[in-house]
Amino acid sequence: SNVLHQFKANTTFDDVLNLSHIESKGSLLKIEPVDAIRVIKECNEMLRPMAVKEQLSLSAELPETMVLVMADSTRLRQILINLLSNAIKYNYLNGKINVSAEIKDKYLRISVRDSGRGISPEKQKDLFTPFNRLGHETSGIKGTGIGLSISKQLIESMNGRIGFSSQWQKGSVFWIDLLLVDSPVGLLSDAAITDNYPAEITPEKYHILCVG
């Protein structure tokens, strides 16, 4: 689609500009109630052509009703697109990607699971370091190594947090937590936390397999 083509064409340049803006001035975000489920669905459909091209199955496990969180809708899309595009780029042929959303007390956790390459334990500590591609510089996979750094700063600016778990050669789970509407600000102050739950793909409510 034209939207996806524009997104892919502008990613590298925009990422560098966005990181500079966040670091120098802080991110000027418009924090307001946002239907996170709608945003997730929009991002899934935007990235679906990329998943189809790589012969990946993209599934989702989401609440049936809207879930309002405090966020900047544009920046939330940016974060989810980054997580989804990483799950596609670092996956295996005929692999799986699952997006889920679960309410946990005062926040919503959005998780992106993949069955891909995973991240070796010795490299996980550098995951959110700008311009560090964790050894993928010569892999032929395009990227700047800056998307996760931007995502971390953006989610923290929205009083949320980001974390991951990964098993080498078995896949990864990246998640973000966002405060539900009317939740106290500051509840999610600890960012970049690593959970210890496994990275397997969970059962999904609907499943689409596309093979080229």
Side-chain angles (χ1 to χ4, degrees), residues 84-150:
L84 283 166
S85 62
N86 283 346
I88 292 170
K89 288 191 296 184
Y90 300 107
N91 217 317
Y92 292 117
L93 188 68
N94 297 320
K96 298 179 180 180
I97 300 169
N98 176 266
V99 184
S100 63
E102 180 183 5
I103 295 175
K104 290 175 173 281
D105 193 19
K106 300 294 185 180
Y107 63 92
L108 177 73
R109 171 160 294 186
I110 303 171
S111 301
V112 178
R113 295 171 169 84
D114 67 70
S115 60
R117 305 161 189 259
I119 306 162
S120 61
E122 65 273 14
K123 294 179 179 178
Q124 291 185 13
K125 68 180 185 303
D126 298 320
L127 191 62
F128 295 98
T129 303
F131 303 107
N132 191 330
R133 298 203 59 210
L134 307 180
H136 291 291
E137 293 84 355
T138 60
S139 65
I141 300 174
K142 295 182 179 180
T144 61
I146 200 172
L148 285 175
S149 178
I150 291 176

Side-chain angles (χ1 to χ4, degrees), residues 4-68:
L4 180 62
H5 175 75
Q6 183 178 5
F7 158 71
K8 292 171 67 177
N10 293 336
T11 297
T12 300
F13 183 64
D14 286 349
D15 278 353
V16 175
L17 289 181
N18 283 334
L19 182 63
S20 175
H21 175 72
I22 293 169
E23 290 184 335
S24 64
K25 299 181 180 179
S27 186
L28 301 177
L29 305 181
K30 183 180 180 181
I31 308 297
E32 60 186 357
V34 174
D35 181 4
I37 306 308
R38 179 179 179 180
V39 173
I40 294 170
K41 290 179 178 178
E42 289 175 354
C43 292
N44 278 2
E45 292 312 306
M46 182 179 293
L47 273 295
R48 191 172 298 279
M50 188 185 298
V52 170
K53 182 179 179 181
E54 300 300 325
Q55 300 184 32
L56 302 173
S57 66
L58 176 58
S59 61
E61 188 175 2
L62 305 172
E64 296 181 357
T65 59
M66 72 169 58
V67 178
L68 296 177

